[in-house]
Amino acid sequence: MIIGVDMGASAVKICALEGDAIVFTHYEHGRGGDIPALLARLGLDAQGAELIALTGLSAKNSGLEALGRPVKYIPEPESIGEGACWLTGRDNLIVASIGTGTAFVHARGGEYEHLCGTGVGGGTLKGLAVKLLGLSDMREFDRLAMRGDCGRVDLLIGDFVESYGILDPEITASNLARLDPTATDADWAAGVANLVLQIIGTMSLLACTSSGAEGVAIIGALAGTEPSRANFAKFQRVYGKDFLIPEHSACATAIGAARRARCV
């Protein structure tokens, strides 16, 4: 068994692999902490593991070396790219890894290049949800956003013209700019989700254009939410690029680290 641990800015993601089978995944809110104790609480036999793969901002503070098992540190871009390509079964992808912020990696032919990043990510969405709507439970926020209509708070291309060149009338012209006094909290939740996810989608498309990538993989805890799936399905329809959200997307980087550890 190989254990993969991704220690990010606001969460720890864990997986266990037996050969090519994913036998365990876990997402734990909070930064760092006692990782050996966390593995024990989850019932993972770290002492019996073949090796432990570590990645992420806080990886050097895991305390796992004290267990006496082989530990390998895998660079985050490699972990992101390996996990996304394996889980999607695709190559030549832009991988948008949405954590507290968002990192963009070009994955092609087993090479993984970090292109850029943005501070806009899951942390941004939560901060806006708390400040604007008083919601700290992001599941509740997602439900609210799915009931809303972002067209009540966003200005769309279709508000000005029927079409504009190749631009679909449903494309946002200006986020949160409508200022409609009748917009509900659900509409504002939809608009806030739209703002964050569209920034990530647009940066992904620009990265595709500049790198020649054939599609986009979205990973991270935010990837599998209903607002995310709806938003990126619209991106795929409007722009004609595949936006792939794989199973186990929340733990994709930990999975990539575990797989990458076999060959480094």
Side-chain angles (χ1 to χ4, degrees):
M1 179 178 68
I2 298 176
I3 295 174
V5 181
D6 172 20
M7 298 179 64
S10 57
V12 178
K13 288 75 72 178
I14 297 169
C15 75
L17 305 183
E18 293 278 7
D20 282 334
I22 301 168
V23 297
F24 180 85
T25 59
H26 178 75
Y27 185 96
E28 181 89 1
H29 288 286
R31 181 178 177 180
D34 188 341
I35 303 301
L38 173 59
L39 295 181
R41 171 165 64 81
L42 296 173
L44 286 177
D45 180 16
Q47 292 284 2
E50 176 186 341
L51 63 88
I52 300 172
L54 281 165
T55 193
L57 289 171
S58 305
K60 295 293 184 179
N61 302 317
S62 72
L64 288 167
E65 294 88 347
L67 297 178
R69 304 307 302 150
V71 174
K72 290 187 178 181
Y73 293 93
I74 309 299
E76 198 164 359
E78 295 181 18
S79 302
I80 289 169
E82 177 76 19
C85 287
W86 186 60
L87 289 172
T88 61
R90 296 279 294 273
D91 192 25
N92 196 15
L93 295 172
I94 294 300
V95 186
S97 177
I98 311 175
T100 309
T102 304
F104 298 90
V105 171
H106 185 200
R108 178 172 57 186
E111 299 292 328
Y112 308 110
E113 179 186 6
H114 177 256
L115 299 178
C116 63
T118 173
V120 175
T124 312
L125 189 60
K126 184 166 186 175
L128 291 170
V130 170
K131 187 65 175 178
L132 295 180
L133 298 166
L135 292 176
S136 57
D137 183 337
M138 295 310 291
R139 290 188 179 89
E140 183 180 350
F141 173 85
D142 291 343
R143 290 191 292 270
L144 185 65
M146 291 305 294
R147 296 200 301 269
D149 177 5
C150 62
R152 298 283 301 280
V153 295
D154 293 343
L155 289 174
L156 309 178
I157 292 292
D159 291 320
F160 304 99
V161 291
E162 290 185 8
S163 64
Y164 190 74
I166 63 170
L167 297 182
D168 189 286
E170 292 185 32
I171 291 176
T172 304
S174 184
N175 294 93
L176 310 183
R178 187 174 292 277
L179 302 180
D180 181 347
T182 67
T184 66
D185 280 355
D187 298 330
W188 276 95
V192 167
N194 202 39
L195 169 69
V196 170
L197 294 165
Q198 282 190 343
I199 288 171
I200 294 166
T202 300
M203 290 186 69
S204 299
L205 285 172
L206 292 172
C208 276
T209 300
S210 64
S211 67
E214 297 174 357
V216 178
I218 309 293
I219 64 172
L222 190 57
T225 65
E226 285 191 82
S228 172
R229 290 187 182 279
N231 189 282
F232 293 120
K234 181 184 288 188
F235 262 77
Q236 180 165 313
R237 177 180 61 78
V238 170
Y239 294 104
K241 282 284 187 184
D242 288 339
F243 277 77
L244 311 169
I245 301 175
E247 188 179 2
H248 303 297
S249 57
C251 295
T253 302
I255 292 167
R259 286 184 55 81
R260 195 74 175 162
R262 293 170 168 163
C263 55
V264 296

